[in-house]
Amino acid sequence: RELSTLALRGRDIFDAVSLMPGVVDTSDGRDAPGPTSIANIYIAGGRTDQKNMTVDGVTNLDTGSNNTIHSMPSMDSVAELKVLSSNYAAEYGRNSGGTITVITKGGRRQFHGSGNWYYRHEDLNANEFFANVAGRQKTPYRYNIAGYTIGGPVLINKINPDHSRLFFFFSQEYQH
């Protein structure tokens, strides 16, 4: 619940990671999530190529460069987000600089879903006081992110007759 109510600029989960203790984010802004979002994250003083990211236990880091990720989980699909910086179990021992673990949501016995649209444009904002006095235009600041989620039981009576064993969850975001 806390992760879904955080006001994060650009809907990037690495913005939430940078709020955790022992994590330093050197990016100049996170306007939209992307494959290079992990590059500016430093965990417990480790170098940029010494960290790992897993999604549901599977490494999501491009092992060729160690600075990009294969896929970015949407904010609405993340159930749990942890940063392991030291003294963690051997299963997380791929890199010495820390591990970011993401656990995604799953379906439930009832159907649930959501839809969202995050839109930002400088025409919707007031100009800053000193920029008005100097006669400068508003700084361009735009993003347009729409998304949805849907989850519930799989309705195949032979496989899941009482709808209590097999579930699905799907999440998608569109960045314009």
Side-chain angles (χ1 to χ4, degrees):
R1 190 173 339 140
E2 291 176 7
L3 191 59
S4 65
T5 58
L6 274 176
L8 299 175
R9 181 179 171 186
R11 310 238 337 129
D12 190 347
I13 62 166
F14 289 109
D15 213 4
V17 168
S18 66
L19 298 173
M20 297 183 184
V23 177
V24 175
D25 184 5
T26 61
S27 69
D28 56 353
R30 298 195 173 276
D31 292 325
T36 58
S37 292
I38 197 168
N40 297 319
I41 298 288
Y42 297 88
I43 301 171
R47 292 189 339 231
T48 185
D49 61 345
Q50 291 181 327
K51 62 188 162 295
N52 191 23
M53 178 186 177
T54 62
V55 177
D56 293 331
V58 178
T59 296
N60 190 31
L61 196 67
D62 179 6
T63 54
S65 69
N66 281 348
N67 283 324
T68 58
I69 56 176
H70 292 295
S71 65
M72 174 66 80
S74 69
M75 287 292 298
D76 294 326
S77 70
V78 175
E80 184 177 329
L81 183 62
K82 280 196 287 190
V83 174
L84 307 170
S85 58
S86 64
N87 295 335
Y88 39 84
E91 65 185 283
Y92 302 109
R94 183 181 172 275
N95 294 69
S96 61
T99 298
I100 301 165
T101 63
V102 176
I103 307 297
T104 58
K105 294 178 182 177
R108 295 186 254 168
R109 292 186 85 160
Q110 294 86 24
F111 287 101
H112 293 277
S114 66
N116 54 58
W117 179 37
Y118 297 93
Y119 180 75
R120 182 128 192 193
H121 195 282
E122 66 271 5
D123 288 344
L124 302 173
N125 297 335
N127 202 0
E128 296 176 9
F129 175 79
F130 293 107
N132 260 345
V133 171
R136 291 185 304 224
Q137 297 291 325
K138 291 184 252 182
T139 305
Y141 181 53
R142 302 173 184 174
Y143 70 80
N144 187 358
I145 302 173
Y148 66 92
T149 65
I150 187 165
V154 174
L155 299 176
I156 301 175
N157 287 334
K158 290 183 180 181
I159 297 173
N160 193 18
D162 58 352
H163 309 299
S164 64
R165 295 191 182 136
L166 189 59
F167 307 101
F168 75 94
F169 184 82
F170 186 77
S171 172
Q172 191 168 17
E173 280 188 353
Y174 300 97
Q175 299 175 22
H176 304 284

